[in-house]
C-alpha cells in the first residue's frame, strides 16, 4: 500500500493521502517489533511475522522517495536499514538482485551508511546471475558507492574487478549514458587510490570508457565535466595527448555553462587548476560571464568561501589574461560594494565574510594586480573590526599583511597607507606567537621590511629570533632564508634613514643583526641551492648589514659567479654593490660578474649602471671597458638618472683615475644646484 501510494504521487511531493500516517505507523510498529525480536531472541527476520524482506525493501525505497520532499521520513528509514543489517546474508538471500540494487541506491540517497550490508550486497551482485541483469547505470552506481567507503570498510578487490570488467564489455558500455560512463571513470580513479590491487583494472576501465565517452553528445553539468577530466589526468592520460585533448574538447563543449550554478563553476575551475588547463580561456570566460549573471540576479545567498575558491582558481590559471579576468573582477567589485539591508534583514557580502575570506580577497587583488583604493579600504576596515582581527591566526595575519603590503606598495595613497599601518598595529600582536611556520614567519618579516614599518620593532625582532632558533627545521627553504636576510637588510636601511647622523653613532646594534648573521651562515652552507634571486638578495643584505665573514662572503660570491649567466642586470648590480660594501677582494670573480652586464643585448637602467660603477670604484678596480660601456649607457638615460646616481658615478671615475665625462658633470650640476655647465669636483658620493 505504501509503495502504490508513493508511486501515485510520482515522487514529486509527499502524498497527501490520509491513509499515509496510518500506513507509516503500522510499518514502524512492525519494524520495531522485528528489531526487538531479533535482538532478544535471535529470531531470523525471514521467519518473523512482523515484516518480510520484500516488505522491508519496498518500504526503504518508498521512504527514500518521500524523503526528497521532507526529512521527517528519514528516522523510520534508518530503523529499516538497522533491521536489514542485523542479518544481511538472510535478507540478501531472499531479495532479488534488482530489488537489492534499489535498496543500496535508497541508502545512498538517504545518506545512511551501512558498510556491512553494502559488502554483503556487492558479494551477491558480483555473482553471474546478478551481473547479467545489472545495467551500466547499476554498475557505475555500485562502483561509486564502493569508492566512498572508508578503507576499513572497503569492498574486496575481487568484487570490484568483477564490476569493472563487466561495465567495459562492449554490449554494456554501448548502452551506457554519458553520466554512467563519467561516473564509472571518476569512481575507478578513487578506487585506484584506495586499493592498489585494482589499479591495473581501473586504468583499463578509464581508457576504455573515455574512448566510449568521446562518441556521446549529451550535455553534462560543468562540475561533472571537471571531475571526469581530473580523474583522467590523475591516471596519467595527459601523456596521451591525442586522447586527453579530444576528450577535453568534447567534454568542455558539452558542458552546460548557461545553467551552471556557483558550485558547478567552482568545481570545474578547481579541476582545471589542478590539471593546469591554461589553454581553455574561452571556458573560463564563459564561466565568468555566467557567474556575473548569477550575481546580477541575486547575490544574497552566495557563500563567500565558494566564491573565493572560484577567484583563486581563475587567478592561478589566467591572471595575465585581462579579457578572461574582466567578468571576475566585475563580480568582485559588485560583491564588495554590496550594502546590508535593514528592511530585508540581510547582511552584505562583506559582512558575511570571515577572516579567511577577506584574506583571500586581498590575495586575489594582489596576484591579479588589480588596485582599487575604495574596495581595498572597505576590506581593510572590515579586517580591523575586533570580530575579524581577533579571529586571525598567525598564518592569516602574515598572509594579510604580506598581500596588503604588496598591493599598497604599487600606489601611494595616504588613506591606504594609514590603513596599512593600522593593520600592522592590530594584527602584529597575533605574530607574537611560537606557533609559527617558516612560511608564516618569513612572509611576515618580509612584509614588515617591505612596508618599512618600524613602529613595533619588537615584533620584527621576535620574528627574526624565531627563525634563527628554528634553522634546523627541514621545512625551511633557501627562498625563505634569503628573504628573511633581505628583510633584515631592508629594515636596517629604513632605521638608518629615520635616525639622524648623530643618532647613528650612539645607537646600539639592533637585535635582528645577530639573527641575520645566522641566516647568512645557513645560506652559505646551502649555497648550491640558491637561485639568482636568492643570492642577489643575500649578498645585498650582507653588504647593507656589514656581514663580512670570509667564509660567508666567499661562499655567496662563488655561487654568484656560478649563476651569473642567469642573473638579471638588477641582480648582478645588487650582487656587485653588496660585495663592494664588505670589501671583497677577488678581482677575477668581480670581473666575471661584471662581464654579463656589458653584453650589448643587456639594457641596464641608470641606477644599475651607477651601482656597478660605484662598486668598481669602491673596490679600486680599474676596468676600462666597464667604465666606458656603462657610462655610455647611463648618459643615454640621463633624464631618468637621479643626482645621487650621477654623483656615485662621478666619484667612481675620480677614485680609479678615469677622466670625468663633462656631460655627467653638467647634468649633476643642473640636478643638484640648478647650474649649467659648471665643473664641480665630487669627493664623497651620496649612497
Amino acid at each position: 500500500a505504501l509503495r502504490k501510494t508513493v508511486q501515485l504521487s510520482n515522487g514529486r511531493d509527499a502524498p497527501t493521502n490520509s491513509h499515509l500516517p496510518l500506513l507509516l505507523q503500522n510499518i514502524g510498529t512492525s519494524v520495531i517489533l522485528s528489531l526487538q525480536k531479533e535482538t532478544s531472541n535471535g529470531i531470523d527476520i525471514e521467519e518473523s511475522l512482523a515484516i518480510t524482506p520484500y516488505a522491508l525493501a519496498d518500504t526503504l525505497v518508498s521512504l527514500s522517495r518521500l524523503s526528497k520532499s521532507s526529512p521527517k521520513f528519514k528516522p523510520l528509514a534508518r530503523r529499516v536499514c538497522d533491521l536489514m543489517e542485523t542479518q544481511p546474508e538472510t535478507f540478501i538471500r531472499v531479495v532479488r538482485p534488482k530489488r537489492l540494487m534499489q535498496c543500496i541506491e535508497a541508502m545512498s540517497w538517504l545518506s545512511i551508511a551501512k558498510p556491512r550490508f553494502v559488502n554483503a550486497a556487492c558479494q551477491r551482485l558480483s555473482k553471474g546471475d546478478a551481473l547479467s541483469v545489472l545495467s551500466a547505470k547499476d554498475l557505475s552506481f555500485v562502483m561509486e558507492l564502493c569508492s566512498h567507503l572508508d578503507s576499513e570498510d572497503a569492498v574486496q578487490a575481487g568484487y570490484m574487478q568483477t564490476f569493472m570488467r563487466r561495465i567495459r564489455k562492449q554490449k554494456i558500455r554501448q548502452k551506457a549514458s554519458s553520466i554512467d560512463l563519467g561516473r564509472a571513470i571518476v569512481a575507478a580513479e578513487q578506487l585506484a587510490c584506495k586499493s592498489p590491487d585494482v589499479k591495473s583494472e581501473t586504468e583499463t576501465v578509464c581508457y576504455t570508457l573515455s574512448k566510449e565517452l568521446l562518441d556521446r553528445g549529451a550535455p553534462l553539468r560543468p562540475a561533472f565535466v571537471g571531475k571526469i577530466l581530473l580523474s583522467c589526468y590523475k591516471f596519467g592520460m595527459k601523456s596521451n595527448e591525442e586522447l586527453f585533448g579530444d576528450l577535453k574538447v568534447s567534454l568542455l563543449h558539452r558542458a552546460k555553462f548557461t545553467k551552471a550554478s556557483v558550485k558547478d563553476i567552482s568545481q570545474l575551475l578547481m579541476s582545471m587548476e589542478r590539471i593546469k588547463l591554461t589553454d581553455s580561456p574561452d571556458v573560463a570566460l564563459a564561466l565568468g560571464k555566467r557567474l556575473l549573471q548569477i550575481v546580477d540576479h541575486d547575490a544574497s545567498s552566495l557563500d563567500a568561501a565558494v566564491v573565493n575558491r572560484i577567484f583563486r582558481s581563475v587567478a592561478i590559471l589566467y591572471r595575465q589574461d585581462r579579457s578572461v579576468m574582466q567578468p571576475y573582477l566585475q563580480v568582485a567589485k559588485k560583491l564588495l560594494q554590496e550594502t546590508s539591508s535593514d528592511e530585508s534583514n540581510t547582511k552584505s557580502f562583506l559582512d558575511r565574510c570571515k577572516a579567511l575570506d577577506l584574506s583571500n580577497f586581498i590575495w586575489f587583488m594582489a596576484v591579479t594586480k588589480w588596485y582599487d583604493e575604495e574596495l581595498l579600504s572597505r576590506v581593510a576596515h572590515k579586517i580591523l573590526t575586533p570580530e575579524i582581527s581577533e579571529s586571525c591566526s598567525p598564518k592569516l595575519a602574515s598572509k594579510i599583511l604580506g598581500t596588503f603590503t604588496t598591493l599598497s606598495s604599487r600606489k601611494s595613497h595616504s588613506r591606504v597607507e594609514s590603513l596599512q599601518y593600522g593593520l600592522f598595529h592590530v594584527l602584529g600582536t597575533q605574530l607574537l606567537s611560537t606557533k609559527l611556520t617558516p612560511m608564516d614567519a618569513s612572509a611576515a618579516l618580509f612584509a614588515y621590511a617591505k612596508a618599512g614599518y618600524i613602529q613595533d620593532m619588537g615584533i620584527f625582532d621576535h620574528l627574526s629570533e624565531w627563525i634563527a632558533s628554528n634553522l634546523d627545521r627541514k621545512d625551511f627553504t633557501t627562498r625563505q632564508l634569503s628573504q628573511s636576510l633581505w628583510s633584515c637588510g631592508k629594515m636596517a636601511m629604513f632605521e638608518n634613514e629615520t635616525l639622524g647622523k648623530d643618532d647613528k653613532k650612539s645607537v646600539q646594534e639592533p637585535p635582528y643583526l645577530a639573527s641575520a648573521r645566522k641566516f647568512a651562515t645557513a645560506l652559505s652552507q646551502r649555497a648550491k641551492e640558491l637561485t639568482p634571486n636568492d643570492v642577489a638578495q643575500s649578498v645585498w643584505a650582507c653588504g647593507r648589514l656589514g656581514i663580512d665573514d670570509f667564509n660567508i662572503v666567499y661562499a655567496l660570491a662563488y655561487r654568484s659567479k656560478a649563476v651569473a649567466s642567469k642573473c638579471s642586470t638588477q641582480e648582478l648590480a645588487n650582487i656587485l654593490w653588496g660585495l663592494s660594501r664588505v670589501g671583497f677582494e677577488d678581482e677575477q670573480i668581480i670581473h666575471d660578474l661584471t662581464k654579463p652586464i656589458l653584453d650589448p643585448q643587456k639594457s641596464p637602467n641608470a641606477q644599475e649602471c651607477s651601482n656597478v660603477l660605484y662598486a668598481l670604484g669602491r673596490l679600486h678596480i680599474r676596468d676600462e671597458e666597464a667604465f666606458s660601456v656603462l657610462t655610455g649607457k647611463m648618459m643615454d638615460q640621463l633624464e631618468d638618472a637621479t643626482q645621487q646616481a650621477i654623483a656615485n658615478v662621478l666619484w667612481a671615475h675620480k677614485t680609479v683615475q678615469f677622466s670625468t665625462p663633462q656631460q655627467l658633470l653638467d647634468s649633476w650640476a643642473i640636478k643638484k644646484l640648478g647650474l649649467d655647465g659648471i665643473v664641480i669636483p665630487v669627493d664623497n658620493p651620496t649612497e
Side-chain angles (χ1 to χ4, degrees):
L2 178 63
R3 176 163 55 86
K4 288 296 183 183
T5 302
V6 173
Q7 286 175 350
L8 287 172
S9 72
N10 225 5
R12 288 189 297 270
D13 299 297
T16 56
N17 190 308
S18 59
H19 297 297
L20 183 63
L22 183 59
L23 289 173
L24 293 173
Q25 181 181 355
N26 287 332
I27 291 171
T29 302
S30 298
V31 170
I32 293 171
L33 286 173
S34 296
L35 279 170
Q36 290 174 344
K37 288 181 179 181
E38 198 282 330
T39 303
S40 59
N41 302 320
I43 298 175
D44 192 311
I45 61 172
E46 186 181 9
E47 300 174 359
S48 170
L49 298 177
I51 189 164
T52 66
Y54 270 103
L56 276 178
D58 281 345
T59 299
L60 179 60
V61 173
S62 298
L63 290 172
S64 71
R65 292 176 181 174
L66 290 172
S67 296
K68 293 179 181 180
S69 58
S70 173
K72 66 182 181 181
F73 302 103
K74 190 171 179 178
L76 178 55
R78 188 175 295 280
R79 286 182 175 274
V80 171
C81 292
D82 289 341
L83 182 56
M84 290 165 63
E85 198 180 36
T86 55
Q87 295 186 36
E89 294 80 7
T90 302
F91 180 90
I92 290 166
R93 186 180 70 247
V94 175
V95 176
R96 292 185 178 277
K98 272 296 185 181
R99 193 69 63 90
L100 186 56
M101 273 299 309
Q102 291 176 347
C103 288
I104 59 177
E105 285 175 355
M107 286 183 181
S108 176
W109 172 258
L110 292 162
S111 300
I112 297 175
K114 294 295 178 183
R116 181 185 170 196
F117 182 86
V118 170
N119 267 277
C122 287
Q123 182 178 2
R124 172 68 184 94
L125 293 172
S126 66
K127 303 299 182 183
D129 64 318
L131 278 177
S132 64
V133 299
L134 296 184
S135 64
K137 181 180 179 181
D138 296 331
L139 292 165
S140 65
F141 176 80
V142 172
M143 289 174 62
E144 181 182 58
L145 182 64
C146 294
S147 71
H148 293 159
L149 293 176
D150 295 332
S151 299
E152 59 270 19
D153 300 323
V155 175
Q156 290 184 23
Y159 304 150
M160 284 294 93
Q161 288 175 329
T162 300
F163 298 133
M164 286 187 280
R165 289 181 186 129
R166 179 68 179 174
I167 199 171
R168 62 183 175 85
K169 285 186 176 295
Q170 186 175 10
K171 66 178 182 179
I172 299 296
R173 69 173 190 265
Q174 286 182 340
K175 294 179 181 178
S177 67
S178 296
I179 293 176
D180 299 334
L181 294 170
R183 185 161 59 179
I185 291 171
V186 174
E189 185 275 321
Q190 294 173 343
L191 287 168
C193 296
K194 292 186 176 181
S195 179
D197 295 338
V198 299
K199 186 173 183 180
S200 176
E201 188 64 43
T202 56
E203 288 181 354
T204 304
V205 166
C206 179
Y207 277 85
T208 304
L209 300 189
S210 295
K211 292 175 183 177
E212 187 71 37
L213 194 55
L214 281 174
D215 299 329
R216 307 306 167 88
L220 297 168
R221 291 182 67 89
F224 192 44
V225 169
K227 287 182 179 180
I228 296 171
L229 288 175
L230 183 57
S231 297
C232 293
Y233 176 78
K234 288 181 177 179
F235 272 122
M237 191 179 287
K238 200 168 186 181
S239 59
N240 186 332
E241 290 294 337
E242 184 177 355
L243 177 56
F244 187 82
D246 292 345
L247 187 64
K248 176 190 70 177
V249 172
S250 174
L251 291 178
L252 291 177
H253 178 72
R254 289 152 54 190
K256 297 185 289 187
F257 298 138
T258 55
K259 296 183 179 180
S261 66
V262 175
K263 187 176 180 180
D264 285 332
I265 296 170
S266 171
Q267 290 185 346
L268 179 53
L269 282 172
M270 286 175 66
S271 296
M272 291 172 65
E273 175 201 337
R274 294 186 66 181
I275 299 171
K276 301 179 178 61
L277 212 59
T278 57
D279 59 352
S280 301
D282 54 327
V283 174
L285 181 59
L287 292 173
K289 289 179 178 179
R290 172 56 183 159
L291 181 62
L292 186 57
Q293 286 179 345
I294 294 172
V295 171
D296 285 338
H297 180 260
D298 181 17
S300 61
S301 60
L302 290 185
D303 187 314
V306 176
V307 173
N308 270 304
R309 284 198 293 270
I310 292 173
F311 288 159
R312 170 186 166 79
S313 296
V314 76
I316 289 174
L317 290 170
Y318 297 108
R319 60 178 174 269
Q320 304 295 341
D321 192 331
R322 218 58 183 175
S323 62
V324 171
M325 294 304 304
Q326 194 57 40
Y328 296 95
L329 299 180
Q330 288 179 269
V331 168
K333 191 167 186 176
K334 285 176 180 289
L335 291 176
L336 293 176
Q337 286 179 333
E338 187 184 36
T339 56
S340 300
S341 173
D342 294 332
E343 295 180 1
S344 58
N345 197 28
T346 58
K347 291 183 177 180
S348 69
F349 184 81
L350 199 58
D351 287 335
R352 298 200 303 271
C353 288
K354 298 178 181 179
L356 178 60
D357 302 321
L358 298 170
S359 168
N360 287 335
F361 262 117
I362 299 177
W363 175 88
F364 174 71
M365 295 178 75
V367 297
T368 56
K369 298 181 180 179
W370 175 43
Y371 185 88
D372 187 306
E373 183 182 359
E374 179 192 351
L375 298 183
L376 193 59
S377 299
R378 287 174 67 88
V379 174
H381 278 298
K382 182 63 179 176
I383 294 173
L384 288 171
T385 60
E387 172 193 1
I388 297 295
S389 61
E390 292 174 6
S391 68
C392 283
S393 63
K395 184 180 187 67
L396 268 184
S398 171
K399 182 179 178 181
I400 291 171
L401 294 177
T403 50
F404 195 94
T405 300
T406 299
L407 270 173
S408 60
S409 64
R410 293 176 183 150
K411 302 282 184 178
S412 180
H413 294 288
S414 57
R415 179 184 177 188
V416 173
E417 288 178 0
S418 174
L419 287 170
Q420 177 179 303
Y421 286 159
L423 289 173
F424 274 98
H425 178 70
V426 172
L427 298 181
T429 55
Q430 308 290 353
L431 300 171
L432 292 173
S433 167
T434 56
K435 296 179 180 180
L436 297 167
T437 67
M439 180 180 291
D440 300 337
S442 61
L445 201 71
F446 184 75
Y448 270 80
K450 194 168 185 178
Y453 186 76
I454 61 175
Q455 282 76 2
D456 293 325
M457 287 305 297
I459 297 174
F460 188 88
D461 294 337
H462 165 74
L463 291 170
S464 61
E465 288 171 7
W466 185 91
I467 295 172
S469 61
N470 286 274
L471 288 175
D472 56 342
R473 289 178 55 151
K474 294 181 180 180
D475 52 345
F476 254 121
T477 66
T478 53
R479 177 65 181 149
Q480 291 162 352
L481 288 176
S482 63
Q483 204 170 61
S484 299
L485 180 57
W486 178 89
S487 300
C488 291
K490 195 72 172 177
M491 193 58 82
M493 185 184 78
F494 281 124
E495 284 196 298
N496 288 340
E497 289 175 354
T498 303
L499 295 170
K501 288 187 177 180
D502 295 335
D503 294 328
K504 290 181 187 178
K505 296 177 182 179
S506 60
V507 73
Q508 295 182 350
E509 182 179 287
Y512 59 80
L513 182 54
S515 298
R517 291 194 182 100
K518 293 180 180 179
F519 303 161
T521 301
L523 286 164
S524 67
Q525 294 168 350
R526 300 171 62 178
K528 291 183 179 180
E529 302 174 33
L530 300 181
T531 65
N533 183 260
D534 295 338
V535 77
Q537 285 189 327
S538 301
V539 175
W540 178 89
C542 286
R544 175 60 67 181
L545 295 166
I547 299 175
D548 56 1
D549 180 274
F550 177 85
N551 294 325
I552 294 174
V553 173
Y554 263 80
L556 296 177
Y558 277 111
R559 181 57 182 170
S560 301
K561 177 183 175 181
V563 299
S565 61
K566 300 177 182 178
C567 288
S568 66
T569 53
Q570 182 182 17
E571 289 165 345
L572 289 169
N574 285 345
I575 290 170
L576 287 165
W577 183 90
L579 291 175
S580 72
R581 290 293 299 263
V582 295
F584 186 70
E585 297 178 347
D586 192 321
E587 289 193 22
Q588 184 57 51
I589 290 182
I590 297 297
H591 174 76
D592 292 339
L593 292 171
T594 305
K595 191 173 180 179
I597 304 180
L598 308 182
D599 188 330
Q601 303 298 320
K602 300 282 188 180
S603 301
N605 61 33
Q607 186 61 52
E608 291 161 4
C609 292
S610 173
N611 285 351
V612 174
L613 293 176
Y614 169 74
L616 295 175
R618 191 176 178 95
L619 295 170
H620 300 281
I621 295 176
R622 202 168 187 272
D623 188 329
E624 187 172 350
E625 181 187 8
F627 271 83
S628 174
V629 171
L630 295 178
T631 302
K633 289 187 176 183
M634 185 168 183
M635 287 195 290
D636 292 338
Q637 309 172 68
L638 277 180
E639 292 184 359
D640 301 325
T642 65
Q643 61 171 340
Q644 298 166 332
I646 296 172
N648 284 348
V649 174
L650 295 175
W651 175 84
H653 275 79
K654 183 176 181 181
T655 300
V656 298
Q657 299 180 354
F658 280 139
S659 59
T660 306
Q662 184 65 38
Q663 188 179 354
L664 276 179
L665 283 169
D666 291 345
S667 179
W668 182 82
I670 293 169
K671 288 177 181 286
K672 178 72 175 176
L673 303 174
L675 303 176
D676 189 7
I678 297 180
V679 178
I680 301 176
V682 180
D683 294 323
N684 298 307
T686 305
E687 296 179 8

